Amino acid sequence: MAGRVTRFAPSPTGPLHLGHAFSALTVWDRARGGAALLRIEDIDQSRCRPEWEAQIFDDLHWLGLNWPEPVMRQSTRANAYRGALDRLAAMGLTYPCRCTRADIRAAMSAPQEGAATGPDGLIYPGTCRGRSMSEAGPGDAIRLDMKRALTRAGARRFFETGEHEGWHELGPLDRSAGDVVLARRGFGTSYHLAVVVDDAAQGVTEVVRGADLFQATAIHVLLQSLLDLPQPAYHHHRLIRDPAGKRLAKRDDARALANYRAEGLSPADIRAMVGFTPSAP
Ligand code: GLU
């Protein structure tokens, strides 16, 4: 395991909770002998707050986790995302989309269309697919023409080191994910594009994250292949659930680390609560 580079990539839109703690502990554990990097995913500046970022640093340090400086912030990476987007556009794989969520829902409710969902929710029905990039307006999102992308990408599988260890096929992404958004309206990128560009820029060799992102991984591997970026290994870990079995979300402030800290719990208590056991050295 020597030399593995992993990363923890929280969005500063709320407090870290027990699920984040388990994720971070796993990220640092997998990097033992290598490097665990921190990346702040703050593309959506309207939802991100400096005080949440400060709290993230503080909570991670309290858990005993340290990282090399400087921390990467997605809000400073617009040029890198634009470069990747331009490259995919030059390959003829993108188109501008002006559909609103309501437009998409309306198109999906047409009787001949199945209401299939993928990693980003409803699978886009392709309404704007015929539009050319020269028509792109400032209010448009940019989508990937998935069918075409699949004919251009070399990668067909990725290696998972987590619970379902082994090679996994990308599968028919045109049907399972559809024409995913590469640049959200007004943002210059989307989660999928940013994460792929940044994992490569940070030299990440193993992406460690929750099992909820397993389906997004096939999209990321496809984008890496189109952009000639190295393909890391993937480690999807189990999710921490509340007593009712529901996955913890940012709004579960009651399970925020800060609250447990205020109640006097120790990092060892947190590790026990989430059932974290370090891997053998
Ligand atoms: N920023 C994402 C989150 O907070 C993590 C994305 C990833 O690990 O790829 O859920």
Side-chain angles (χ1 to χ4, degrees):
M1 82 145 66
R4 202 180 274 153
V5 179
T6 64
R7 67 4 175 227
F8 182 57
S11 296
T13 54
L16 295 187
H17 55 58
L18 289 179
H20 294 107
F22 180 70
S23 196
L25 290 165
T26 308
V27 166
W28 265 262
D29 184 59
R30 299 284 305 169
R32 238 180 310 144
L37 308 178
L38 183 60
R39 180 168 75 229
I40 297 294
E41 302 218 321
D42 58 352
I43 290 166
D44 188 347
Q45 287 281 310
S46 68
R47 295 175 56 228
C48 296
R49 298 270 174 277
E51 45 285 22
W52 291 128
E53 187 180 297
Q55 179 83 52
I56 288 171
F57 295 156
D58 197 46
D59 283 341
L60 293 175
H61 280 139
W62 178 76
L63 280 172
L65 308 174
N66 293 291
W67 51 89
E69 297 285 347
V71 165
M72 181 180 274
R73 280 188 186 74
Q74 291 191 323
S75 54
T76 66
R77 306 259 310 141
N79 287 342
Y81 306 142
R82 177 182 301 274
L85 196 60
D86 286 350
R87 194 160 159 189
L88 296 170
M91 292 166 79
L93 300 179
T94 61
Y95 63 88
C97 173
R98 57 182 158 215
C99 295
T100 62
R101 254 177 241 265
D103 292 336
I104 296 172
R105 267 198 304 272
M108 299 306 291
S109 62
Q112 69 274 24
E113 305 276 0
T117 57
D120 296 341
L122 279 182
I123 291 177
Y124 182 62
T127 320
C128 287
R129 199 177 290 134
R131 295 181 70 211
S132 114
M133 286 300 282
S134 59
E135 301 169 43
D140 288 348
I142 306 297
R143 288 185 182 271
L144 180 70
D145 183 328
M146 189 58 90
K147 231 186 200 125
R148 278 197 199 181
L150 283 169
T151 67
R152 295 291 295 271
R156 285 286 171 263
R157 55 187 199 156
F158 64 90
F159 194 74
E160 166 70 33
T161 64
E163 204 183 330
H164 302 287
E165 181 165 349
W167 288 100
H168 290 258
E169 301 293 320
L170 303 194
L173 278 167
D174 52 332
R175 279 182 280 132
S176 60
D179 293 353
V180 293
V181 171
L182 296 177
R184 288 166 60 195
R185 189 168 283 127
F187 282 97
T189 187
S190 66
Y191 160 66
H192 298 307
L193 186 68
V195 94
V196 161
V197 169
D198 291 345
D199 284 337
Q202 291 191 291
V204 170
T205 62
E206 185 176 273
V207 172
V208 180
R209 60 188 178 194
D212 53 326
L213 289 167
F214 188 86
Q215 291 213 306
T217 296
I219 299 166
H220 300 172
V221 169
L222 178 88
L223 290 173
Q224 284 150 9
S225 174
L226 294 169
L227 292 166
D228 286 322
L229 300 174
Q231 185 188 120
Y234 285 85
H235 185 97
H236 293 91
H237 59 70
R238 67 182 167 85
L239 302 175
I240 302 299
R241 298 178 185 278
D242 68 13
K246 241 181 82 249
R247 179 161 70 87
L248 298 187
K250 280 267 161 59
R251 60 188 171 280
D252 289 311
D253 289 5
R255 288 178 182 78
L257 286 183
N259 286 357
Y260 292 112
R261 290 175 63 178
E263 285 168 18
L265 270 68
S266 70
D269 294 327
I270 300 294
R271 286 196 292 272
M273 281 172 78
V274 297
F276 172 77
T277 39
S279 57

